[in-house]
Amino acid sequence: MSKYSMIENGAETNKIKKFFQKDFSQFIVFAIPMIFIGIFLLYPMAITLIRAFWAPAEYTFKFTGWSLEGFRTFFGTKLYLRALVNSIIVSLSVTILCILIGVPMGYCVARVKIPGKKLLVSLGILPIIMPSFVGAYTWVILLGNKGIVRTALNFILKPFGVTLPSIYGMFGMILCMTLTYYPFVFQMAYGAFSGANALLEESAMLMGAGKARIMRTITLPLIIPSLGAAALLVFVRAIGNFGIPAVIGGNNYVLPTLIKFAYGGAGDINLASSIAVINVIITGLVLYIQKYIVNRHEYETISASHTDIKQHESLGAKIFAIILCLIVLIFSLLPQLTIIVMSFFKRWTGLLPSDFTWTNYANIFKKSSHELFNSFFLSIVATIMCAIFGSILAYITERKRPKGSALLDLSIMAPFILPGTVVSIALLSAFGGNGLMKLTGTYLILIISYMIRRTPYVYRSVAANLTQLNPSLEEASTISGATWFYTFRRVSVPLILPSIISGSVMTLTTLLQELSTTILLYGPRTRTVPIQIFNAVNENDLGRASALSTVLLIVVFAIIYTMNSRKGTDLSSSMKM
Amino acid sequence: MKKTLVVLLVLATVFTAVFAQGAAEAKSGKMELVLLSAGKEAESEKIIEAFNKEYPNITVTHLEKDSGDVLTLVQQKSSDSDVVLLIAQDSLVPMEENLYAYTTKNDAKFSADYKGAGNKWYACSMPLQTFMYNTDLLKGDDIPKSWFDLADPKYKGKIVLTNPASSGSAYAQLYMMYKLTGDLSLAEKIAKNGTVYVTDSKSGPQSVARGEYALTMTGESNVSDAIGKGSPVSYLYPVEGTGRRIEGAGIIDGCKNLEAAKIFMDWFTGKGGAEAIRSCGRRPVSTEVPGPDFLPALSELPFFEYDAIEAGQLKKQLRNEFAAFL
């Protein structure tokens, strides 16, 4: 071997050495989640989009030929069009009402000096955590034709010649969904009002602006981005809700009802896909409008220090705030109270429950141990994965800003703005059947779908925290020779821990009650507690359903209250868009 | 870097554990069995309890889905189950190609009408449809007697039915109305009478039991169940009769636990199975046990012709016609 070629060889080895010495971990960490999202979100969504243009399928997942039949059926049938109109009316009304309730309440808790704020904030998240169909059944017990609250109110109103309208129909759906989803707005508004920069309001006051003017020109505009995100969340949840319309909608069907008709009734996954696509288009339009409004009101506030916000201390303000919060909380927590009461009785068929019993709780140990294990196992594993995935992803997109981070951001957030029924139909059409990847009935598909749908909580929470965090500490670590992962682990994680915790708490508590995805994907081995609750409610075994719900409710409340008692954790940050 | 490795190892273990579930099944002489039922969860529990009394070595897990979902799962060969049960004949017939032909020990007791071609399935019970009304809300002459009474304006807004688009039993009711008049004119009149069509067949009888609505049409087992739970309800079979329907059970072709499935089918088609079905409030096809509690004997019931094959063929057309005038 000549001297010349030896040098060349040496250079070659050096190149290889250098290649391996290069820090690829960042690229790998970026690529793995992208691949994951590609397989388990983009691929299913693409399949759904393709299926939407296939001919009707009866009990088959196989290719049935290209066709516009699904859309023709949709736009050619009065029933479908009416459902579309109903969905839009209900979702928009619910969104507006949630803002009208949530914003004043958030303001009161954040800006008025009242006792028990942590308790109010903890209680004010519970309505969204209960499976909505359970809520719907309790509303029937409370406000149905034979409902106890309705009967009482009608008795009081009788001398005035007024009777309450029936809960069945559009009015009931809008009422129940509003009382279920206002916490999104409340939590976000609370977070925004208490986190806003106090200096701006103070300077306006110093310059002589009145209270109303400050509210109109400073306070409210500052929370518009948060409000926009909350409104979008409410809209998406409302348009994807199946439980409430199924129980109290009567003949007023909505889009998820149509998906149920198409897939559950006729085994037609292609028609279900067409409806899902229409659903996504509507959500996309609303997202566009929301972005348009929010972008017109985007403000950048620059501040070096954080000052505490001045709180209203006048007696009038305190009384108003307390009364407002109590009315909203009592009304919206009536379903939870009903469930706790119901769990000690055998039946509630008339006005009042009858036959006190402990057996509902005794039966949990006998008949639900496997389901309890599944619920906790699946939720905890998925939460840990979400916490790891979410925080690493947030760190990379926020700090490293690699090429394509916008794409990554959009992909992670997509499940957040896609109705649950749509994600489920997508996962089912990709992994159901007996195709390439048959995953229905496994623990894996549930964990994956939970991750896809819930990673945004940790991701957003951490990203929001990182933007407020000065990167100089991390830079110091890097300059001293630490790799990015070491820095992330030893410097960033301890700093962003509160936001990881709040995102994880939001993930865990909502997963423990997850039904809409689970119900399409579970198998005999992977039944969860919410599935059992759903069956029990359907089978008129309200005692069993309520005992199980009460157990979940207590676990969830304990987790949330413990977290809210910690300093620096804030649930609202996990919902930001 | 060590810590990173540890984290990765833990993650890998979690994932392997998740992947490996099911692969590491106990090989201790115990058998497993998965039931896929269109009935209720409480019914599966009762049936399994009775079965386990005789066969304690078979661990049974169960899954309940709507009959449409069951049909989809079986046709897709993706049910992960061994035996389907409490499935109406209209759904059993189309899934025959994916059922396993097994002649049970009780085969001789079943006439040809009560089992599938090639013994792919056996009838177990009769999901007969009947009026169920709330006794606080409807009394004496107000109780409807005929199918045609449902179109009477005095019941406007008081009737709750299930949408035939989402439920097999609700479709059976629609087909019965079709058989009565030869078209859907009666169904249309009932729909135009302020009748509410819910999306789940189980919520109609619940609403009537609570007194939210006065009247529904539902399977006998729901009536027996509600009366057994002390709800103020009663039943009435329409004078024109009700369709003679059957529902059955069969082994899924290619299932994992074939031996256990055969043992189950032998038991389920026998007296033990019939008694378990009866305990669910369903009407067993077996003449060895009486009909369900609170309900009349089979011989007292009026019937009219119900052609499950034709019902299956007309399904799409009738559902579409119905959707058009709802």
Side-chain angles (χ1 to χ4, degrees):
Chain A
M1 198 184 286
S2 75
K3 192 180 161 192
Y4 192 73
S5 71
M6 260 174 77
I7 294 170
E8 208 177 32
N9 253 354
E12 199 69 14
T13 4
N14 252 351
K15 256 191 195 164
I16 294 167
K17 252 191 192 167
K18 263 195 185 154
F19 183 81
F20 279 107
Q21 276 167 354
K22 225 174 153 183
D23 189 4
F24 281 102
S25 51
Q26 193 182 322
F27 172 74
I28 292 165
V29 172
F30 177 75
I32 289 172
M34 268 323 273
I35 293 168
F36 184 84
I37 288 167
I39 296 174
F40 294 109
L41 180 71
L42 303 182
Y43 166 68
M45 288 308 293
I47 293 273
T48 310
L49 185 63
I50 293 169
R51 271 190 198 286
F53 294 93
W54 285 8
E58 265 190 30
Y59 308 109
T60 178
F61 279 53
K62 292 190 187 105
F63 180 59
T64 46
W66 298 100
S67 159
L68 285 171
E69 193 57 37
F71 295 99
R72 230 176 273 140
T73 307
F74 191 97
F75 291 106
T77 318
K78 262 196 307 187
L79 181 80
Y80 284 57
L81 289 174
R82 227 171 28 227
L84 176 69
V85 173
N86 285 344
S87 269
I88 293 172
I89 292 175
V90 168
S91 315
L92 283 181
S93 318
V94 170
T95 310
I96 292 167
L97 285 172
C98 282
I99 291 175
L100 291 179
I101 294 175
V103 172
M105 193 172 156
Y107 185 82
C108 286
V109 179
R111 299 289 181 90
V112 182
K113 203 168 181 189
I114 48 171
K117 287 189 177 188
K118 271 165 194 159
L119 186 66
L120 290 178
V121 176
S122 305
L123 288 174
I125 189 108
L126 290 184
I128 38 171
I129 284 166
M130 187 163 66
S132 61
F133 72 93
V134 177
Y137 269 93
T138 57
W139 286 116
V140 169
I141 287 178
L142 295 164
L143 290 171
N145 296 336
K146 287 281 159 113
I148 176 165
V149 173
R150 182 181 149 93
T151 311
L153 286 175
N154 273 342
F155 182 76
I156 298 167
L157 294 171
K158 208 176 176 185
F160 307 99
V162 183
T163 42
L164 291 177
S166 163
I167 194 175
Y168 297 100
M170 300 291 275
F171 164 75
M173 278 197 277
I174 293 171
L175 177 77
C176 293
M177 284 195 202
T178 304
L179 289 171
T180 310
Y181 293 133
Y182 82 90
F184 283 119
V185 180
F186 165 60
Q187 298 284 339
M188 296 279 261
Y190 167 75
F193 280 127
S194 52
N197 190 340
L199 290 173
L200 285 173
E201 289 175 27
E202 278 165 25
S203 12
M205 213 183 327
L206 286 175
M207 286 188 271
K211 274 182 188 164
R213 191 187 160 98
I214 296 177
M215 178 64 100
R216 192 167 47 83
T217 56
I218 295 179
T219 317
L220 283 180
L222 277 180
I223 71 155
I224 281 197
S226 296
L227 207 60
L232 188 64
L233 270 180
V234 171
F235 183 87
V236 170
R237 297 296 158 114
I239 207 170
N241 187 309
F242 172 71
I244 290 175
V247 178
I248 51 181
N251 281 344
N252 298 291
Y253 303 135
V254 292
L255 292 175
T257 324
L258 299 183
I259 291 183
K260 155 87 179 157
F261 286 168
Y263 179 66
D268 192 341
I269 187 109
N270 297 351
L271 179 58
S273 299
S274 310
I275 302 166
V277 166
I278 291 167
N279 202 335
V280 171
I281 292 172
I282 295 169
T283 320
L285 270 176
V286 172
L287 174 70
Y288 181 78
I289 296 167
Q290 185 256 14
K291 283 268 170 231
Y292 179 75
I293 295 172
V294 169
N295 283 344
R296 280 177 51 203
H297 292 92
E298 199 90 70
Y299 300 95
E300 195 87 31
T301 55
I302 302 163
S303 67
S305 63
H306 188 85
T307 46
D308 276 338
I309 286 179
K310 220 178 124 242
Q311 300 206 327
H312 298 282
E313 290 188 20
S314 74
L315 190 66
K318 279 186 189 174
I319 291 174
F320 175 80
I322 289 174
I323 289 178
L324 176 76
C325 292
L326 282 184
I327 288 178
V328 175
L329 280 179
I330 288 173
F331 244 92
S332 62
L333 290 175
L334 273 177
Q336 278 79 0
L337 286 175
T338 312
I339 275 173
I340 295 172
V341 172
M342 180 69 225
S343 67
F344 294 104
F345 290 90
K346 267 203 181 132
R347 75 195 96 211
W348 195 333
T349 43
L351 210 55
L352 292 168
S354 52
D355 297 327
F356 181 87
T357 177
W358 289 103
T359 45
N360 296 328
Y361 285 96
N363 275 342
I364 290 182
F365 298 100
K366 249 196 286 176
K367 292 178 174 169
S368 309
S369 50
H370 184 64
E371 285 75 10
L372 277 168
F373 169 80
N374 278 346
S375 270
F376 281 96
F377 173 74
L378 289 167
S379 309
I380 290 171
V381 172
T383 304
I384 294 172
M385 302 295 284
C386 284
I388 297 170
F389 251 39
S391 43
I392 293 181
L393 285 173
Y395 182 81
I396 291 172
T397 43
E398 199 54 48
R399 282 288 189 262
K400 302 284 162 184
R401 299 212 166 270
K403 271 181 201 156
S405 67
L407 179 70
L408 186 64
D409 189 75
L410 190 71
S411 314
I412 298 166
M413 294 312 289
F416 225 39
I417 53 160
L418 292 172
T421 32
V422 172
V423 178
S424 305
I425 279 293
L427 286 168
L428 195 68
S429 61
F431 305 113
N434 216 10
L436 201 57
M437 277 187 279
K438 201 228 123 202
L439 291 173
T440 41
T442 61
Y443 282 89
L444 188 67
I445 187 75
L446 284 177
I447 291 175
I448 288 168
S449 61
Y450 288 175
M451 284 176 67
I452 288 288
R453 295 200 54 206
R454 295 294 194 266
T455 301
Y457 283 136
V458 177
Y459 176 76
R460 275 299 141 165
S461 181
V462 172
N465 193 337
L466 278 171
T467 47
Q468 291 162 5
L469 213 67
N470 199 320
S472 50
L473 278 174
E474 292 153 25
E475 282 161 16
S477 160
T478 318
I479 290 164
S480 314
T483 63
W484 78 268
F485 192 67
Y486 187 87
T487 310
F488 172 71
R489 218 155 38 80
R490 301 301 295 271
V491 181
S492 314
V493 167
L495 286 171
I496 58 174
L497 197 60
S499 55
I500 298 180
I501 291 175
S502 56
S504 304
V505 162
M506 199 62 199
T507 309
L508 181 64
T509 49
T510 52
L511 281 184
L512 281 171
Q513 313 264 11
E514 212 293 327
L515 182 76
S516 63
T517 309
T518 317
I519 198 153
L520 281 174
L521 301 171
Y522 79 102
R525 284 188 190 81
T526 55
R527 285 153 46 91
T528 60
V529 176
I531 295 284
Q532 228 179 3
I533 295 175
F534 179 74
N535 286 344
V537 166
N538 267 338
E539 294 168 17
N540 208 3
D541 194 349
L542 286 182
R544 181 182 192 169
S546 348
L548 284 167
S549 303
T550 306
V551 169
L552 286 186
L553 196 68
I554 291 169
V555 172
V556 162
F557 183 73
I559 298 172
I560 289 178
Y561 189 73
T562 316
M563 191 217 66
N564 275 340
S565 305
R566 279 178 60 108
K567 246 198 142 99
T569 46
D570 170 18
L571 277 190
S572 70
S573 62
S574 55
M575 299 175 203
K576 286 194 180 118
M577 306 291 290
Chain B
M1 206 56 207
K2 259 185 191 169
K3 277 193 187 165
T4 324
L5 272 177
V6 172
V7 171
L8 283 176
L9 265 177
V10 170
L11 281 184
T13 332
V14 169
F15 258 103
T16 341
V18 170
F19 270 115
Q21 54 108 8
E25 265 163 25
K27 289 177 181 168
S28 55
K30 279 199 154 198
M31 292 167 103
E32 288 196 22
L33 180 66
V34 183
L35 302 182
L36 176 56
S37 166
K40 298 174 182 169
E41 181 167 340
E43 293 177 323
S44 302
E45 284 170 359
K46 278 182 190 157
I47 291 169
I48 291 167
E49 202 182 321
F51 176 67
N52 275 154
K53 268 188 195 143
E54 286 183 50
Y55 299 95
N57 62 324
I58 301 180
T59 310
V60 190
T61 40
H62 58 101
L63 187 65
E64 292 75 31
K65 298 256 178 184
D66 292 339
S67 56
D69 286 340
V70 173
L71 182 54
T72 312
L73 286 170
V74 172
Q75 293 299 79
Q76 281 313 300
K77 303 183 204 296
S78 66
S79 67
D80 289 318
S81 312
D82 305 308
V83 171
V84 285
L85 67 158
L86 302 181
I87 314 284
Q89 188 182 6
D90 353 3
S91 296
L92 272 173
V93 173
M95 69 173 84
E96 268 173 0
E97 54 180 319
N98 283 308
L99 294 179
Y100 176 84
Y102 174 63
T103 307
T104 72
K105 285 179 186 163
N106 301 299
D107 183 64
K109 293 182 194 166
F110 290 81
S111 68
D113 294 350
Y114 285 81
K115 55 188 177 186
N119 299 339
K120 293 274 182 97
W121 53 268
Y122 288 86
C124 59
S125 42
M126 305 181 76
L128 303 181
Q129 303 294 307
T130 173
F131 292 156
M132 169 172 157
Y133 62 92
N134 187 296
T135 48
D136 294 339
L137 298 173
L138 292 184
K139 288 187 170 84
D141 286 346
D142 282 342
I143 301 162
K145 286 157 195 68
S146 147
W147 283 91
F148 294 90
D149 286 345
L150 300 187
D152 189 329
K154 75 174 171 183
Y155 299 114
K156 200 171 177 83
K158 291 185 176 170
I159 305 172
V160 57
L161 294 175
T162 311
N163 195 312
S166 71
S167 144
S169 58
Y171 171 69
Q173 295 164 11
L174 184 72
Y175 175 69
M176 286 179 212
M177 293 181 212
Y178 169 80
K179 287 302 263 189
L180 278 174
T181 57
D183 55 25
L184 288 186
S185 57
L186 173 61
E188 183 171 5
K189 277 180 201 150
I190 295 173
K192 299 252 159 84
N193 198 23
T195 301
V196 169
Y197 293 88
V198 289
T199 38
D200 192 308
S201 59
K202 289 155 194 157
S203 65
Q206 265 204 70
S207 302
V208 171
R210 269 195 55 80
E212 296 293 321
Y213 292 95
L215 177 72
T216 187
M217 179 137 224
T218 185
E220 279 183 318
S221 62
N222 292 325
V223 181
S224 167
D225 183 60
I227 297 177
K229 281 180 177 159
S231 304
V233 296
S234 191
Y235 59 83
L236 193 126
Y237 296 83
V239 285
E240 296 87 358
T242 183
R244 188 189 280 273
R245 299 171 71 214
I246 49 173
E247 59 193 356
I251 300 175
I252 297 167
D253 196 24
C255 71
K256 261 190 216 157
N257 307 299
L258 185 59
E259 285 317 303
K262 285 178 178 173
I263 295 171
F264 180 83
M265 282 304 289
D266 284 338
W267 172 82
F268 197 59
T269 49
K271 201 180 171 194
E275 273 164 359
I277 290 165
R278 187 184 178 280
S279 74
C280 298
R282 287 183 188 252
R283 189 181 290 279
V285 289
S286 165
T287 46
E288 292 172 279
V289 292
D293 291 332
F294 316 112
L295 295 174
L298 194 63
S299 56
E300 294 169 27
L301 300 181
F303 282 110
F304 62 76
E305 191 211 347
Y306 186 93
D307 185 343
I309 310 288
E310 187 192 53
Q313 288 161 349
L314 290 176
K315 204 180 232 177
K316 200 166 185 177
Q317 181 201 331
L318 294 185
R319 274 177 167 170
N320 285 346
E321 276 181 45
F322 179 80
F325 58 68
L326 190 64

